[in-house]
Amino acid sequence: MPNNVRSPVNNPPEEGLCESLLMELECPVCGEHMIPPITLCESGHNTCSRCKPKLKKCPTCRQQLLAIRNLTLENLTNKIKYPCRNHKTGCDELLPLDQIIQHQAVCLYRFYDCPLAKAPGVLCLWQGPWSEVKKHIDINHKDRVTEEISKLSVHIRDFKSTYKYCRVIYALGEVFYQQFEVIANNFYFVVQYVGPEDAAYRYKYEFTLSSTSGDEKIQVSQVTRSVKINIDEICQSGKCIKLHYDVVKNFLEENTMEFEMEISKARVEEKS
Ligand SMILES: [Zn+2]
Ligand SMILES: [Zn+2]
Ligand SMILES: [Zn+2]
Ligand SMILES: [Zn+2]
């Protein structure tokens, strides 16, 4: 139902009630709306479950925090619609608790870290909405970008197995982050889609390593994962290109690595 259509149960007096309930739920520490379990302090203030592990005393009155839950308030959270946590940056979604949690995981307004934040030699603490990522990269990391090319031949002289190779690729009108490195004798090659996970499955990358003669070749494809997924997790789960480094080493000639990489649309059916 569009936001501007009011159902009979959402008439103005109730809306006012929802608003004051939301104000009641606002956590004084993180500024977000509390979600169950909501516990109490000795004087009866509500405590945010996200912040509680970091708190020693009640942030409002400095009294002890208790394990007793405010069940009445918890029950009321099922009766209201929560605004998206990114409402300050422009998201208008207003949904029941279970749905807003799902929405926030894919919300286009949630903040992204700079994709190159973990690249060696880059110390970038930038965070911003999805729509600003490309502009940020253009202004600050232009030297790390391969532009508008979906198939590229990479030639690395003096390849170092101790080095992490990172770059940003603009392809198919989207932004991708590519990283490869050798960890514990495994060669990991990952391409991440800079955008929400539910759109990342639309792209795939193909990695081709071949000998100079072309007689020996390794070609592997994988679907991209979102940059929102921790890259260590991607490597551990094997949802990336993983080759034994002994195999890769055979393709290095005088320590030069040459490979081809192509990003293309995956042959998946659009989710309706
Ligand atoms: Zn909080
Ligand atoms: Zn208190
Ligand atoms: Zn949102
Ligand atoms: Zn940056």
Side-chain angles (χ1 to χ4, degrees):
M1 192 188 292
N3 280 340
N4 54 358
V5 179
R6 282 195 181 126
S7 64
V9 288
N10 251 355
N11 52 27
E14 259 194 38
E15 257 176 32
L17 194 63
C18 287
E19 259 168 48
S20 35
L21 198 54
L22 282 171
M23 272 163 69
E24 203 60 48
L25 287 167
E26 214 168 270
C27 166
V29 181
C30 66
E32 289 199 30
H33 295 107
M34 296 182 203
I35 55 169
I38 300 168
T39 51
L40 293 164
C41 83
E42 276 183 341
S43 338
H45 296 117
N46 298 303
T47 314
C48 166
S49 54
R50 292 189 200 92
C51 296
K52 198 179 179 186
K54 293 174 280 181
L55 297 171
K56 288 196 174 81
K57 296 264 165 73
C58 169
T60 310
C61 69
R62 316 302 302 160
Q63 295 293 312
Q64 289 294 322
L65 297 173
L66 306 174
I68 299 167
R69 286 163 67 173
N70 187 344
L71 293 178
T72 313
L73 188 59
E74 283 187 16
N75 288 338
L76 286 171
T77 62
N78 294 321
K79 309 259 184 283
I80 57 163
K81 286 181 181 168
Y82 276 74
C84 172
R85 67 151 63 117
N86 304 312
H87 63 104
K88 286 192 185 98
T89 48
C91 184
D92 293 331
E93 281 296 349
L94 203 61
L95 294 165
L97 184 56
D98 53 333
Q99 290 173 37
I100 202 74
I101 290 171
Q102 285 173 17
H103 159 77
Q104 284 172 171
V106 294
C107 175
L108 295 183
Y109 292 89
R110 83 212 146 118
F111 274 26
Y112 283 73
D113 292 329
C114 171
L116 289 160
K118 278 185 273 172
V122 179
L123 190 75
C124 185
L125 299 173
W126 181 87
Q127 284 190 321
W130 189 28
S131 55
E132 301 282 313
V133 176
K134 193 166 182 281
K135 195 168 95 190
H136 165 77
I137 295 169
D138 281 342
I139 295 170
N140 300 280
H141 311 292
K142 203 69 197 185
D143 56 323
R144 298 266 188 158
V145 177
T146 303
E147 258 190 274
E148 294 311 329
I149 184 161
S150 54
K151 187 169 185 164
L152 62 147
S153 298
V154 181
H155 184 100
I156 300 166
R157 232 181 294 140
D158 195 21
F159 174 76
K160 287 185 186 71
S161 63
T162 49
Y163 196 73
K164 183 159 80 172
Y165 293 83
C166 311
R167 64 185 304 111
V168 165
I169 298 165
Y170 294 161
L172 308 165
E174 303 283 350
V175 180
F176 297 90
Y177 170 73
Q178 174 213 266
Q179 178 180 312
F180 58 96
E181 65 180 320
V182 177
I183 309 167
N185 221 31
N186 282 310
F187 174 81
Y188 293 92
F189 189 97
V190 186
V191 175
Q192 286 176 291
Y193 170 69
V194 180
E197 175 66 1
D198 64 348
Y201 72 95
R202 294 191 197 129
Y203 304 95
K204 62 174 181 180
Y205 55 104
E206 189 176 74
F207 172 82
T208 311
L209 199 59
S210 40
S211 63
T212 335
S213 65
D215 289 334
E216 292 175 330
K217 189 184 267 188
I218 296 176
Q219 195 166 56
V220 205
S221 296
Q222 188 59 260
V223 170
T224 64
R225 307 295 311 272
S226 166
V227 277
K228 280 289 178 189
I229 304 201
N230 188 302
I231 201 155
D232 299 332
E233 224 172 87
I234 295 176
C235 290
Q236 274 160 28
S237 67
K239 278 279 186 187
C240 63
I241 291 169
K242 179 182 173 183
L243 299 166
H244 203 284
Y245 186 51
D246 290 345
V247 177
V248 176
K249 247 192 273 181
N250 289 329
F251 289 88
L252 299 182
E253 273 170 46
E254 287 166 9
N255 234 10
T256 296
M257 178 186 272
E258 279 190 72
F259 66 85
E260 280 194 354
M261 210 270 295
E262 183 172 15
I263 296 176
S264 56
K265 289 223 162 99
R267 248 178 282 143
V268 284
E269 279 177 29
E270 281 294 312
K271 280 181 189 167
S272 55

